[in-house]
Amino acid sequence: MNDQLRRRAVGAPAARSVLLTVLGEYVLSRPDGVWQETLVSALGTLDYKTQAARQALARSVSAGWLATERHGRRSRMRLTDETAAMLRTGAERIYGFGEPREWDGRWLLVTLRVPEQRRELRHQLRTRLAWAGFGSLGGGLWISPHVAREPELREMVADAPAAEVLSFRAELGALGEPQRLIAQAWKLAEVADAYDDFIAAFARERPQAPEAVFRAQTLLVHTWRRFPFLDPDLPAAVLPARWPRERAHEVFRERHAAWHAAAQDYFGSLDAA
């Protein structure tokens, strides 16, 4: 997945981060794009001042997220092909995350060695492994229950010839305590707290006015899209008891479905103005 999407997903809720959510949720399905004022108004509904919204848009154009087309005194903004592809990939992971899945009991083990003088590269690869859901066992050994992500690992190190990477596919043996290993590899308590906060924020939310529904829907998606990067998506068989992901996913799915039409209509009304 694109590193830019990861950074914007897990970073502070700055205007450009929220703009990325708006683009994925409301603009991706509109190939003709939207008016610049539409995006400014949408960010305004989300409590960003006009200056901050316009600055976020200007930076997004400079970064190649958006392309502009003048229509008299107004500007039409559409997603660039690269940004549209990035958002489609992100949507697959965001909306598919949390669904129950089968697990065959296999783990993907990875050894990572980077020369001492290449500390920046080591940090970069460690960060990308963590984003991909790998847990660190120390000593350059990483682990993931997602064996199918081995091709993603290959892409990750393709541009880092200085790194030595070796992968193994393995099953747990009879020795040791798996739960202790899992607790060492991932900070699951922090992930559980994030899920509990999500449930508390949205489970009982019942907005009525169109503007309030748009706001709630956008914040729902914006908050949820962090979880594919925070949660290593471990199989249920190795998770702690009463793990809150299932409840959080249920809240996301139900609230998103309930608010979808009204939120889309509200955004469309901004573009029609």
Side-chain angles (χ1 to χ4, degrees), residues 22-42:
V22 171
L23 295 178
E25 186 70 10
Y26 305 102
V27 182
L28 183 59
S29 60
R30 292 172 164 83
D32 293 333
V34 296
W35 296 114
Q36 178 177 320
E37 294 86 349
T38 300
L39 295 174
V40 172
S41 296

Side-chain angles (χ1 to χ4, degrees), residues 26 41-42 44-47 201-202 205-221 255 258-267 269-270:
Y26 305 102
S41 296
T45 302
L46 300 165
D47 295 334
F202 295 104
E205 186 80 5
R206 297 295 187 275
Q208 299 299 320
E211 180 177 336
V213 176
F214 168 80
R215 177 184 172 86
Q217 177 80 323
T218 307
L219 294 178
L220 176 85
V221 175
R255 299 273 64 76
W259 299 337
H260 177 76
Q264 293 289 334
D265 287 347
Y266 177 81
F267 185 82
S269 72
L270 296 179

Side-chain angles (χ1 to χ4, degrees), residues 136-211:
S136 174
L137 300 180
L141 182 61
W142 295 76
I143 186 171
S144 169
H146 301 282
V147 176
R149 290 185 184 172
E150 196 168 18
E152 183 177 342
L153 177 67
R154 183 181 297 111
E155 294 178 6
M156 192 182 301
V157 299
D159 297 326
E164 295 182 13
V165 177
L166 189 62
S167 61
F168 303 83
R169 301 176 186 181
E171 297 180 4
L172 288 174
L175 302 179
E177 300 178 25
Q179 293 300 331
R180 179 177 296 181
L181 177 147
I182 289 167
Q184 175 186 347
W186 293 282
K187 297 178 181 179
L188 293 183
E190 295 179 8
V191 179
D193 288 344
Y195 277 129
D196 288 339
D197 290 344
F198 178 87
I199 294 167
F202 295 104
R204 297 185 178 181
E205 186 80 5
R206 297 295 187 275
Q208 299 299 320
E211 180 177 336

Side-chain angles (χ1 to χ4, degrees), residues 1 9 19 27 35 47-48 51 66 70 80 85 105 107 115 143 151 168 176 180-181 192 212 269 271:
M1 176 135 356
L19 173 62
V27 182
W35 296 114
D47 295 334
Y48 290 95
Q51 181 179 356
L66 294 164
R70 296 292 299 181
T80 62
W107 296 83
I143 186 171
F168 303 83
R180 179 177 296 181
L181 177 147
S269 72
D271 200 47

Side-chain angles (χ1 to χ4, degrees), residues 17 53 56 82 94 115 126 138 152 202 227:
S17 179
E82 182 181 6
I94 292 166
R126 286 175 175 175
E152 183 177 342
F202 295 104
F227 287 112

Side-chain angles (χ1 to χ4, degrees), residues 35 59 211 229 250:
W35 296 114
R59 289 178 176 176
E211 180 177 336
F229 307 110
E250 179 182 329

